[in-house]
Amino acid sequence: MIREQYLGQLWELLSPVPEHLRREWMYDYEEHFRMAAEHGRSEAEAAHELGDPRLIAKELLLNYRVGQAENKSGSITLVSRAVLAAVSLGFFNLVFVLGPYIALLGVLLALWATAVGVGLSSVMAIYEGLYGGGITMLQGAFLAMVLIALGMLIGAGAHWLTRAVAKMTLRYLKFNSRVMRVKKG
Amino acid sequence: MNVQFKKGVLDLCVLALTAWEDRYGYELAVTMSSKFEVAVGSVYPLLSRLTQEGYFSTYLKESSEGPPRKYYKLTPKGHTHLMELVREWRTFSVAVDELIKEGVER
């Protein structure tokens, strides 16, 4: 009874993971109960030494998220998921890690918005050159080209910085999230 | 022993246990837990992570009693990684020993 409950709960908690992986992981815990029984230990003892299934699920999910983020290195979405998994696991303090991380994301977003804004303002320059009185058409076209180039430059910078932030965050996460729970009692 | 310190060494130890023979999860979990003060339940996620990182491959093998067991096998990549970790550990422990000799046992 304890065994079924334990394994059932773990299976439910691991639902974000693809099924083949979930099955592979579950095998370890099913086998643990089986082997413990062979060694004359009760289901309650086996469940106790494994520990809270919620903790196990979180550890597994964090590993999974970090692995995913690593496979597609530089993806800020996957890295953000891994950060959230780590915070939910209690590896990092919500205020001291998630706060600065979100601030950093804000800076990146502002940079991207600037790139797009500058690029789009070239349309204004062309409009002004065609219909406005301030500048000639040639000046307008030139200004538009400069603005587009500048927008692309800022965009490239933002892209590079985003990847750099993603990689550094991941490295920090990997380094800090390897905890082992200490044996109780 | 300090948990922060220990966690770095656990990769090395669990890889070392499989250097010469493949082992099943329960065996690894119980050995690790008896040598170090770590929870048995914490060893399996460690095994999954090392598998995910390509240091272990797993396979099922029939056992004399009951259903097949899941064995962990060190991959060539895992072997290279293990050798690296062992080298790092040797350098580290030699340095610590020297400092203890100089500082404590004079």
Side-chain angles (χ1 to χ4, degrees), chain B residues 5-63:
Chain B
F5 177 74
K6 219 160 37 179
K7 70 188 184 187
V9 186
L10 289 174
D11 281 18
L12 163 62
C13 294
V14 84
L15 290 171
L17 279 171
T18 55
W20 289 100
E21 51 185 320
D22 306 346
R23 292 181 191 269
Y24 54 94
Y26 185 83
E27 212 180 354
L28 289 169
V30 169
T31 312
M32 292 293 288
S33 169
S34 64
K35 292 260 187 205
F36 309 94
E37 288 283 301
V38 298
V40 171
S42 216
V43 178
Y44 293 113
L46 174 79
L47 295 175
S48 311
R49 176 168 58 74
L50 292 171
T51 308
Q52 189 181 291
E53 288 174 352
Y55 300 139
F56 278 136
S57 60
T58 62
Y59 62 92
L60 295 178
K61 199 172 112 187
E62 299 298 323
S63 70

Side-chain angles (χ1 to χ4, degrees), chain A residues 104-182:
Chain A
L104 212 57
L105 287 186
V107 171
L108 288 176
L109 197 69
L111 206 59
W112 279 107
T114 310
V116 172
V118 169
L120 283 180
S121 64
S122 61
V123 176
M124 294 285 289
I126 288 176
Y127 181 84
E128 190 64 21
L130 285 177
Y131 307 108
I135 50 175
T136 66
M137 208 177 96
L138 202 65
Q139 281 172 327
F142 180 72
L143 195 61
M145 268 180 352
V146 169
L147 285 171
I148 287 175
L150 200 63
M152 280 166 71
L153 211 63
I154 300 175
H159 179 70
W160 181 83
L161 210 64
T162 307
R163 287 180 65 92
V165 165
K167 276 188 187 153
M168 265 160 49
T169 308
L170 195 63
R171 202 175 305 161
Y172 177 79
L173 207 63
K174 272 190 77 173
F175 183 74
N176 280 288
S177 64
R178 296 200 178 156
V179 294
M180 295 300 278
R181 278 175 289 124
V182 178

Side-chain angles (χ1 to χ4, degrees), chain A residues 1-11 25-53 56, chain B residues 24-27 29-30 40-41 44 65-69:
Chain A
M1 190 56 214
I2 295 171
R3 172 175 179 268
E4 266 76 59
Q5 229 172 9
Y6 190 98
L7 293 173
Q9 196 186 351
L10 190 58
W11 175 257
W25 291 348
M26 287 300 294
Y27 203 92
D28 284 322
Y29 303 96
E30 288 159 11
E31 194 174 275
H32 186 86
F33 274 104
R34 253 192 329 263
M35 296 297 296
E38 270 176 39
H39 288 81
R41 300 238 274 290
S42 74
E43 287 186 1
E45 276 174 298
H48 178 76
E49 65 180 357
L50 280 177
D52 192 337
I56 291 182
Chain B
Y24 54 94
Y26 185 83
E27 212 180 354
V30 169
V40 171
Y44 293 113
E65 64 271 333
R69 286 174 189 164

